[in-house]
Amino acid sequence: MHATCQRARRAVWAALAALVSLVVQPLCGRLPEGHDTLLHFYRIPVLNALWRQGSAFSRWAPDLMLGYGYPLFHYYPPLSAYLLTALYWAAGQRAPLAMALAFALALAAAGAGMYRLGRSLHGRAGGLVAAATYLFSPHLLYQTFERGSLSNALVMALVPWALAALLGVARRAGARRIAWAGLGVGAVLLTHAGASLLLVPSLGAMGLLGAWAAAEGWRARGRKALAVAAALALGLGVAAFFWLPALAETGLVRYGAEIASPDVHWSLHFASALAWPPAAVDGLANPALPLTVGLLPLALGVGGALWALWRAIAAGRHGGRPAAGDLLAVGAGLIALGAVWLATPSSAPLWERSALLRNLQFPWRCLDPAAVLLPLAAGALARLPWRGGRAARAAAACGAVGLVAILYAEALPYLAPPRHTALPERPTLGQASAYQAEYGAWGLTSWGEYLPAGVPAPPQGPAFAGADRGATLAAKARTAELPGEALSAAGDALHAALDLRLERPATLTFATYWFPGWYAEWDGLPVATRADAGGLLAVDLPAGQGRLTVHWAETPLRAVADALSAGALLAAAALAAWPRRRPAGDRQAEERSAEAGRGSLAVPLALALAMAAAGVVLLAGKAIVLDRTSTPLLRRVEGQALAGLEQPPWRVAGQALALAGYRLEAPDRLTLYWLALEDLDRDYTIAVIAKTPPGEHIAEVAHTHPGLSLTSRWKAGRLVRDAYTLDLGAIERPAALRLFAQVREAATGAPLPITDGPSAGLSEIPVGSIRLPSEATEAAAGLGPVGAEFGGLVALDGAALPAYAPQGGELTVDLAWRSVTTTEVDYTVFIHLIGPDGGQAAGADAQPRGGRYPTSFWRPGEVVLDRHTLPADLPPGRYRVEVGLYDLATMARLPITGGDAALPDRAFLAEVEITTP
């Protein structure tokens, strides 16, 4: 039995390693390019600058905002930045490698933590099912690769560990368990503020449910619930130095106004919970990946919760006690479904009424707890009855392979990220400032939402050269404006000491923003600091000579919060050092208990081996096949063309951009895929133009930010998806439109020439055509029947024309065509007036509806009403009106069946008399 346990344990770790390798593999090579990757990347030099001056932790980052300072770590949890900077030094000061290692560690910790959590409730097999479901969760991978949010990826890695520790407290309340659970909850709070507002309540709910499920009787349940509450309180205390001041001082910054802005309104950020991702495209800069927990994880989580509910009900019917794992799986499923609902548009009325929810800013954040709890519920599926020897092992192995394959197929589009082409190995403060200014990522947050409320707008540039590159606070003092002189100046970025001689009272302004925490003394006596009209730090000084010291320090509120955290850490250390009373064999006993009721270890062993083999095969397949050639599973650009898309007849604009393909999503929606052929140094506008077949300009949509970015930021090889919506509502129907793409110089509006076209002078790339059919299904009333059919392609069901027309006027002929079958030829309609002598007296040739709706666009059964006008400048008399169709390229007429048999290629409509006016 011991040998079997050892084999099962090794197989489990092999399976976990294979699964983790599949999701970590995209981190090999160049760093993936997520939306927020550089926000985290450039925090490395900011934190390094603080460490170099001896500041282990500072709420104020003096070099951000182009040197004017920013309270980054007062409002943004610091743990992810500290981990990344530590890895930077561990990796030999190679920042891209450190970033990749941080994401890899987060993914590995997520998988291992979810396995541990699932194993504690559902055994080894359940732990593996939970781990696989979590690792391939589209939401987890979206945060890692598409968003590139290290803090969000890290918090998703820590939550399973924190929940496992809390449930451990619920099972057996011990001092050490309470300490570790408290530290886990504290780590969650110190990693991501928005996510923790949802994750910590979910942890608390699951911990209390675990306490209720682990005991009988209200007294025993009360004791366990108190232990869980103590662990939660300890976690809140550990992180109090961060969350308490941040919550209490939210009004000091522009956060409230920023989240109410229409550009970031909560209603724009719901998730697509039931969406399947589009086909994977390697390196696409802005794939249309849905924010979702994934259809398969959702189905597995719901299925596991239902199976656990069935088991709990069955246990109750037989007078037994439901297993704690089953009750927790049901609870996890219910909380997850509620969270998924809150992330979808159907919950909008609740968001509208709840200020607490609106403070979360993005409804899709509710997917965070759902992504954690659904795999936990899915692990209950391992409690299916596996007994049956070899057949059970085979079923478990096949199920494991299928599970991994389908999970990987849904996750694959999230595992093909674009990549940064050139990132500095040792990023500097100057590069951090350049990034903030270029992208508007002020303060290395999304849009500078923590800018002090008294600052009217972000700065236009540094106050002086080097102000954002480690300049001292003394250097930022505007002493030249004082009525006197500065005798000496010293200090660092957060402290300044200046000896001044002033002729009269004056105000000294510093080129840094004021925020509570700046203190000043004049000759050892406190003087007030304040914000001037521009939000800068200002100090009012008396006349005379003296020493001014200005420094950054904690406010009373922050000092209280620091003391709470210090006390909580001391309590955690004391609890962790509490004498151990638990017998050494308890952990093994718990593991054996977790496996109880599931037969021998043969089934988990078979499942683990199958998962390991599936992971190895998929990893080899991606490295050998998917990463090297275009396949339906993972498409890539080959020869400037992206497989799986419609291809234009020519594609290169000005040697700068190539249209790798396009897709017409709907008559009014077109998506273009552009490939940068070189590093672009200028901005281009890309327009989609809709024209009628004769060339009349009907509609145009121009994007100055194709793919929501400036082309001057595109590097060679960058592939960008650019989606357009055309306004076609005012166009008379039926109609046909041909679409063209044009690349223009943004500065001048001049179009780039097409360099691979069939002739010189082209500036437009054809990108398909659309048809806008009429809603009519039959000929309009009042048209006389004709009953002629041309070439088996088109039937003329009816026609109407006046019996008389005045000489010198016009003759109007209305026709009702009906498409019999499709054709690729655009046929031309001819209408002839045949005089009394049998010769053609007049005629008119035109494609249907003046060329706006050619026959190649018609569909079988479609009725097209067509009007033609002929001049009636003819001698008075009676004239025959005949109609037919011909191919303009060959001048060949379509033969006719029906109608007047004497006319083999045209139909007789009626006679009209031209009268004297």
Side-chain angles (χ1 to χ4, degrees), residues 125 386 390-403 602-608 610-611:
W386 291 106
R390 184 175 298 176
R393 293 195 296 272
C398 292
V401 171
L403 175 69
V603 169
L605 176 61
L607 185 141
M611 278 193 176

Side-chain angles (χ1 to χ4, degrees), residues 113-171:
M114 185 55 72
Y115 167 72
R116 183 176 184 275
L117 177 60
R119 184 194 65 186
S120 68
L121 301 182
H122 312 300
R124 284 190 176 93
L128 280 176
V129 170
T133 305
Y134 193 45
L135 281 170
F136 295 119
S137 165
H139 184 68
L140 176 64
L141 300 178
Y142 186 96
Q143 302 305 321
T144 303
F145 296 109
E146 178 67 6
R147 270 193 78 209
S149 174
L150 179 59
S151 54
N152 218 138
L154 184 58
V155 79
M156 298 292 283
L158 293 173
V159 168
W161 293 94
L163 182 53
L166 273 177
L167 294 180
V169 171
R171 285 194 303 272

Side-chain angles (χ1 to χ4, degrees), residues 106-340:
L107 289 171
M114 185 55 72
Y115 167 72
R116 183 176 184 275
L117 177 60
R119 184 194 65 186
S120 68
L121 301 182
H122 312 300
R124 284 190 176 93
L128 280 176
V129 170
T133 305
Y134 193 45
L135 281 170
F136 295 119
S137 165
H139 184 68
L140 176 64
L141 300 178
Y142 186 96
Q143 302 305 321
T144 303
F145 296 109
E146 178 67 6
R147 270 193 78 209
S149 174
L150 179 59
S151 54
N152 218 138
L154 184 58
V155 79
M156 298 292 283
L158 293 173
V159 168
W161 293 94
L163 182 53
L166 273 177
L167 294 180
V169 171
R171 285 194 303 272
R172 183 191 295 271
R176 292 189 178 186
R177 292 191 173 198
I178 291 174
W180 287 114
L183 291 173
V185 172
V188 169
L189 288 164
L190 292 174
T191 303
H192 197 286
S196 63
L197 289 176
L198 292 161
L199 290 169
V200 171
S202 301
L203 288 173
M206 290 296 295
L208 293 175
L209 177 59
W212 186 86
E216 292 185 3
W218 290 107
R219 181 172 297 179
R221 287 170 175 166
R223 286 196 299 269
K224 289 182 177 294
L226 283 175
V228 170
L232 291 168
L234 183 63
L236 288 171
V238 167
F241 78 95
F242 163 71
W243 64 263
L244 181 56
L247 285 178
E249 298 178 339
T250 302
L252 298 177
V253 293
R254 296 167 55 173
Y255 180 80
E258 292 291 342
I259 65 172
S261 168
D263 295 335
V264 293
H265 195 265
W266 56 267
S267 62
L268 302 176
H269 298 281
F270 281 109
S272 304
L274 301 180
W276 185 270
V281 178
D282 183 62
L284 182 60
N286 55 340
L289 296 175
L291 280 158
T292 174
V293 290
L295 285 176
L296 189 56
L298 182 61
L300 290 171
V302 171
L306 290 175
W307 173 243
L309 179 62
W310 173 264
R311 283 174 49 89
I313 293 173
R317 285 176 178 173
H318 291 86
R321 181 182 172 191
D326 288 334
L327 294 176
L328 286 166
V330 173
L334 289 174
I335 295 173
L337 287 177
V340 169

Side-chain angles (χ1 to χ4, degrees), residues 356-421:
L356 180 62
L357 281 178
R358 291 196 298 274
N359 281 332
L360 293 174
Q361 190 176 356
F362 302 128
W364 54 256
R365 288 202 192 282
C366 297
L367 297 181
D368 286 348
V372 174
L373 296 177
L374 284 172
L376 183 59
L381 293 174
R383 292 176 175 267
L384 290 168
W386 291 106
R387 301 183 187 279
R390 184 175 298 176
R393 293 195 296 272
C398 292
V401 171
L403 175 69
V404 172
I406 300 174
L407 283 170
Y408 187 67
E410 186 175 15
L412 187 59
Y414 298 85
L415 296 171
R419 300 180 182 277
H420 285 286
T421 55

Side-chain angles (χ1 to χ4, degrees), residues 360-742:
L360 293 174
Q361 190 176 356
F362 302 128
W364 54 256
R365 288 202 192 282
C366 297
L367 297 181
D368 286 348
V372 174
L373 296 177
L374 284 172
L376 183 59
L381 293 174
R383 292 176 175 267
L384 290 168
W386 291 106
R387 301 183 187 279
R390 184 175 298 176
R393 293 195 296 272
C398 292
V401 171
L403 175 69
V404 172
I406 300 174
L407 283 170
Y408 187 67
E410 186 175 15
L412 187 59
Y414 298 85
L415 296 171
R419 300 180 182 277
H420 285 286
T421 55
L423 286 178
E425 290 286 319
R426 299 181 180 182
T428 65
L429 289 170
Q431 290 167 334
S433 285
Y435 167 72
Q436 292 174 76
E438 182 178 1
Y439 289 88
W442 298 111
L444 297 181
T445 52
S446 297
W447 54 84
E449 59 267 36
Y450 304 133
L451 191 65
V455 180
Q460 297 298 310
F464 54 88
D468 55 342
R469 304 181 185 184
T472 64
L473 182 61
K476 295 177 182 180
R478 296 178 174 177
T479 55
E481 301 173 358
L482 294 174
E485 61 179 329
L487 304 177
S488 65
D492 56 29
L494 295 172
H495 305 79
L498 299 99
D499 291 315
L500 305 173
R501 181 186 295 120
L502 302 178
E503 298 173 0
R504 59 181 181 273
T507 298
L508 177 60
T509 303
F510 291 80
T512 191
Y513 293 134
W514 180 84
F515 194 73
W518 285 117
Y519 293 91
E521 293 179 351
W522 178 257
D523 280 343
L525 297 177
V527 291
T529 65
R530 61 179 177 85
D532 71 358
L536 297 179
L537 170 63
V539 184
D540 296 321
L541 300 173
Q545 182 172 335
R547 164 162 284 208
L548 172 68
T549 58
V550 181
H551 64 280
W552 176 264
E554 297 287 66
T555 64
L557 171 65
R558 297 169 198 167
V560 170
D562 293 346
L564 286 175
S565 290
L569 284 172
L570 288 175
L575 289 171
W578 200 265
R580 188 186 184 99
R581 296 180 180 179
R582 180 185 176 192
D586 271 10
R587 185 173 66 86
Q588 290 81 1
E590 283 192 3
E591 287 189 10
R592 289 193 295 271
S593 175
E595 300 293 345
R598 283 177 285 285
S600 70
L601 288 173
V603 169
L605 176 61
L607 185 141
L609 290 174
M611 278 193 176
V616 170
V617 170
L618 289 172
L619 185 62
K622 183 157 191 302
I624 298 172
V625 179
L626 297 182
D627 287 345
R628 296 176 181 271
T629 184
S630 185
T631 67
L633 287 176
L634 181 56
R635 296 182 288 118
R636 62 184 62 251
V637 174
E638 294 181 347
Q640 298 181 354
L642 179 59
L645 299 176
E646 296 291 332
Q647 296 298 320
W650 47 86
R651 69 177 81 242
V652 180
Q655 300 296 336
L657 292 170
L659 183 60
Y662 64 90
R663 175 174 287 121
L664 194 61
E665 314 284 354
D668 60 344
R669 295 200 304 274
L670 174 71
T671 302
L672 307 179
Y673 291 78
W674 291 100
L675 177 69
L677 300 179
E678 58 186 21
D679 291 349
L680 303 183
D681 59 358
R682 64 189 65 189
D683 292 321
Y684 296 107
T685 296
I686 300 178
V688 169
I689 305 166
K691 299 181 180 181
T692 63
E696 180 185 1
H697 191 291
I698 294 296
E700 177 179 314
V701 177
H703 285 177
T704 57
H705 291 64
L708 302 180
S709 65
L710 294 170
T711 59
S712 56
R713 297 172 181 168
W714 296 8
K715 302 298 182 183
R718 187 177 182 85
L719 181 66
V720 176
R721 178 184 61 87
D722 195 21
Y724 294 78
T725 299
L726 296 164
D727 184 6
L728 306 177
I731 297 175
E732 184 182 354
R733 306 185 182 208
L737 297 175
R738 302 193 190 279
L739 304 179
F740 300 87
Q742 188 178 68

Side-chain angles (χ1 to χ4, degrees), residues 747-901:
T748 65
L752 297 187
I754 304 303
T755 58
D756 64 337
S759 60
L762 289 175
S763 65
E764 297 174 343
I765 302 173
V767 287
S769 57
I770 58 178
R771 59 185 294 270
L772 304 173
S774 171
E775 295 180 359
T777 57
E778 56 184 20
L783 272 63
V786 177
E789 188 173 293
F790 295 85
L793 300 175
V794 178
L796 183 60
D797 286 347
L801 65 161
Y804 301 93
Q807 185 183 27
E810 292 183 338
L811 173 64
T812 300
V813 179
D814 289 317
L815 306 173
W817 301 102
R818 177 172 50 83
S819 176
V820 177
T821 187
T822 57
T823 177
E824 297 181 356
V825 179
D826 292 331
Y827 287 100
T828 300
V829 178
F830 67 85
I831 299 178
H832 292 168
L833 270 62
I834 308 301
D837 61 354
Q840 179 179 335
D845 293 45
Q847 289 190 358
R849 301 186 66 83
R852 288 174 172 265
Y853 198 50
T855 56
S856 61
F857 286 83
W858 297 3
R859 297 295 181 265
E862 182 178 3
V863 174
V864 178
L865 303 180
D866 184 26
R867 171 167 288 184
H868 295 260
T869 302
L870 294 80
D873 190 14
L874 297 170
R878 296 188 67 80
Y879 294 82
R880 287 171 53 89
V881 181
E882 299 173 354
V883 64
L885 293 167
Y886 68 92
D887 182 356
L888 184 61
T890 64
M891 301 304 295
R893 295 183 178 181
L894 287 177
I896 188 174
T897 56
D900 189 343

